[in-house]
């Protein structure tokens, strides 16, 4: 993500919580933390947090939402891949080891 994208996303977040006491030094901290992430993933996470949070989300909450969304996307992709036809033309169901691994990763991340 670029500095401009980070700045824009932080401004969007802050504008959504007008009662928060947010200073310029806080904006800098948010921007520096978020710049290492993908802009579209952060935008999606911020959108979700704006709808689900009463108060301005902390940086850690944004990182957690990005991680949660990635895990959900991987699970959907694994499900879709497992249901595609294999080389014999049969429709395959999800493999138990795939579900266990994905679920295990999600539980580890949530802890």
């Amino acid at each position: 993500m670029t500095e401009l994208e980070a700045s824009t996303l932080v401004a969007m977040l802050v504008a959504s919580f007008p009662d928060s006491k947010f200073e310029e030094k806080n904006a800098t901290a948010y921007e520096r933390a978020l710049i290492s992430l993908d802009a579209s993933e952060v935008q999606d996470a911020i959108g979700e947090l704006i709808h689900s949070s009463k108060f301005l989300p902390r940086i850690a909450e944004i990182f957690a939402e990005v991680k949660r969304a990635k895990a959900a996307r991987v699970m959907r992709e694994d499900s879709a891949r497992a249901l595609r036809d294999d080389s014999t033309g049969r429709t395959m169901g999800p493999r138990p080891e795939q579900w266990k691994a994905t679920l295990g990763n999600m539980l580890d991340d949530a802890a």
Side-chain angles (χ1 to χ4, degrees):
M1 156 177 351
T2 66
E3 288 181 22
L4 178 60
E5 288 171 325
S7 178
T8 301
L9 289 170
V10 171
M12 180 178 79
L13 179 65
V14 173
S16 300
F17 295 91
D19 294 336
S20 67
K21 293 183 168 89
F22 200 82
E23 300 175 9
E24 187 61 34
K25 65 183 179 183
N26 300 101
T28 302
Y30 273 73
E31 290 166 12
R32 286 184 180 164
L34 299 177
I35 204 162
S36 65
L37 300 173
D38 179 75
S40 65
E41 290 178 349
V42 173
Q43 183 174 4
D44 292 345
I46 287 175
E48 180 61 34
L49 290 167
I50 286 171
H51 293 290
S52 64
S53 301
K54 288 176 103 173
F55 304 104
L56 179 74
R58 295 177 182 198
I59 294 168
E61 292 172 293
I62 297 169
F63 272 82
E65 179 58 27
V66 167
K67 196 179 239 186
R68 186 207 61 76
K70 278 184 181 180
R73 186 182 71 243
V74 166
M75 184 172 259
R76 283 191 308 271
E77 290 170 356
D78 285 350
S79 295
R81 191 176 311 111
L83 294 174
R84 286 190 198 116
D85 291 344
D86 66 5
S87 61
T88 65
R90 292 179 293 142
T91 301
M92 300 172 53
R95 294 186 181 106
E97 63 275 6
Q98 290 175 319
W99 284 99
K100 288 178 187 176
T102 302
L103 183 59
N105 290 339
M106 289 175 61
L107 293 174
D108 289 343
D109 290 345

